[in-house]
Amino acid sequence: MNKLLKSIEKEKIEPYYSDWNVLEAEIREIFSARKLYAEASMNKGINLYKALLNQCSTKDESVVPLNHAERLEFIEANRSTYAAFRQLSELFKELDKKIASKRAILRKLE
């Protein structure tokens, strides 16, 4: 089995998205209540996203959203803003789509 396919199996990716769904709701609540302590939760989200990226990578290949590096840099520089939260949320969604697409392509090739 292809190493990348093995690393992006649904069972291995699901826990990251389960954690993100809980964290996303928490961060959304923080911003909607206009509270000023979103940075700690955003740090957790950024770390979770990086861990997911690491899961979706092998020595030879990786799955990443378009303009991922620039967008992640923006998020890290502005982690206490709603705009950064929205961007992080979009990165998770786009990565999920990329993973599903890559998984389908790799399975078809096997």
Side-chain angles (χ1 to χ4, degrees), residues 8-26:
I8 60 174
E9 289 176 334
K10 199 169 197 101
E11 299 78 34
K12 292 188 178 176
I13 300 301
E14 285 287 324
Y16 294 98
Y17 281 96
S18 293
D19 289 351
W20 171 245
N21 289 334
V22 171
L23 194 54
E24 183 180 30
E26 176 186 312

Side-chain angles (χ1 to χ4, degrees), residues 44 47 58 63 70 78 87 96 107:
K44 288 180 192 174
N47 290 335
T58 65
V63 180
E70 297 86 359
N78 299 285
Q87 195 62 237
D96 189 37
R107 282 194 180 135

Side-chain angles (χ1 to χ4, degrees), residues 25-42:
E26 176 186 312
I27 296 169
R28 189 175 306 281
E29 175 62 31
I30 290 169
F31 279 115
S32 68
R34 305 257 187 246
K35 296 177 183 171
L36 300 175
Y37 55 88
E39 193 168 338
S41 295
M42 282 293 290

Side-chain angles (χ1 to χ4, degrees), residues 1-108:
M1 180 180 258
N2 181 300
K3 285 183 183 180
L4 183 61
L5 180 58
K6 194 170 187 159
S7 73
I8 60 174
E9 289 176 334
K10 199 169 197 101
E11 299 78 34
K12 292 188 178 176
I13 300 301
E14 285 287 324
Y16 294 98
Y17 281 96
S18 293
D19 289 351
W20 171 245
N21 289 334
V22 171
L23 194 54
E24 183 180 30
E26 176 186 312
I27 296 169
R28 189 175 306 281
E29 175 62 31
I30 290 169
F31 279 115
S32 68
R34 305 257 187 246
K35 296 177 183 171
L36 300 175
Y37 55 88
E39 193 168 338
S41 295
M42 282 293 290
N43 286 338
K44 288 180 192 174
I46 291 166
N47 290 335
L48 185 62
Y49 177 74
K50 288 179 177 180
L52 178 57
L53 282 176
N54 192 45
Q55 175 65 38
C56 299
S57 300
T58 65
K59 187 177 82 176
D60 303 318
E61 199 172 3
S62 64
V63 180
V64 295
L66 188 63
N67 298 328
H68 138 84
E70 297 86 359
R71 294 163 74 188
L72 186 57
E73 186 178 312
F74 169 81
I75 293 164
E76 290 178 326
N78 299 285
R79 60 186 77 215
S80 62
T81 66
Y82 184 75
F85 163 64
R86 291 293 308 138
Q87 195 62 237
L88 183 59
S89 184
E90 289 302 313
L91 280 176
F92 269 99
K93 288 176 190 171
E94 289 174 33
L95 185 55
D96 189 37
K97 290 176 188 176
K98 290 266 189 183
I99 291 167
S101 173
K102 191 67 165 183
R103 192 184 298 135
I105 290 168
L106 291 173
R107 282 194 180 135
K108 195 173 187 177

